[in-house]
Amino acid sequence: MLGLMAVAAGAVMLVLAFAAVGGRKPDTVSGAASAQAAPSGAASALETYLAPLVAQDPKPFASLARADSDWMLKTAVWVAAEQARYTYTADNRQSVPADCVLAAYRTFFGSAASPAFRTFSSNGVEYAYHADTQAYDVPVTAQKDVYTPHVAAVRQEGDTVVATVGYIPSTGWTQRADGSAVPPAPVKTMRYTLRRDGAGYAVVAVETA
């Protein structure tokens, strides 16, 4: 899984990719900004930015208020854990500072987002939060990315970016004669909606395409 620095770089590239086409005047009939084709580099930037989210295969939600809060926390914890090698606990768990988790959380869910830090479980694995040290204990077992994103289409609607994202499984890859990898077909397609948030973007919905 990508660490926070790589994800943040993807977020910056995403902003720069859309900056060149920003400021389009509203449609004179509807008063809404017309949809625009994605600029060059947007799909690649989106794939970098969305990779940790797609890897966790979130349940669809029409607004963040309806998103799975455990998925949101788990994504932020794993991205923060990949950022650097922190100290380890006596039972061989990585101790990840809460402020790093918060930075990752806000990279995806908005600069004003404030998660409720708590102990939670996912797929039988416990992520223990310690209020006294303000840190998460993260299992050192390898985090396997179930899916990687393939952005098939992108459009911009004012301050909103809508991406059609194929989920590429981690199995079924083949190889060409020249050695280059051939990914399998997407097993499903989802629609990710991002909205401009200060100097970046925030995910506001994940829905079936």
Side-chain angles (χ1 to χ4, degrees), residues 5 27 52 73 75-76 84 88 90 97 99-102 106-107 119-121 130 133 141 162 165 193 200-201 206:
M5 292 182 67
D27 183 273
L73 264 178
T75 298
Y88 287 85
D99 58 348
C100 294
V101 176
L102 177 61
R106 288 179 170 173
T107 297
T119 296
F120 65 96
S121 296
H130 301 282
T133 59
T141 52
V162 180
V165 183
T193 302
Y201 282 89
V206 178

Side-chain angles (χ1 to χ4, degrees), residues 83-180:
Q83 180 181 4
R85 293 298 176 186
Y86 302 108
T87 59
Y88 287 85
T89 63
D91 59 351
N92 203 31
R93 286 171 168 250
Q94 195 174 6
S95 183
V96 181
D99 58 348
C100 294
V101 176
L102 177 61
Y105 194 94
R106 288 179 170 173
T107 297
F108 294 115
F109 307 119
S111 57
S114 297
F117 291 133
R118 65 189 186 284
T119 296
F120 65 96
S121 296
S122 177
N123 297 326
V125 177
E126 182 182 75
Y127 297 81
Y129 177 66
H130 301 282
D132 54 341
T133 59
Q134 296 188 338
Y136 269 98
D137 285 350
V138 181
V140 295
T141 52
Q143 169 66 15
K144 296 181 179 179
D145 296 344
V146 178
Y147 300 110
T148 55
H150 169 68
V151 174
V154 190
R155 72 177 188 272
Q156 183 181 19
E157 301 173 350
D159 288 336
T160 299
V161 172
V162 180
T164 302
V165 183
Y167 280 45
I168 306 298
S170 58
T171 58
W173 289 68
T174 58
Q175 197 172 47
R176 296 186 180 92
D178 62 4
S180 58

Side-chain angles (χ1 to χ4, degrees), residues 61-85:
F61 57 89
S63 68
L64 277 182
R66 297 184 177 183
D68 182 346
S69 59
D70 285 352
W71 161 73
M72 296 168 72
L73 264 178
K74 182 183 177 183
T75 298
V77 168
W78 271 110
V79 169
E82 290 292 328
Q83 180 181 4
R85 293 298 176 186

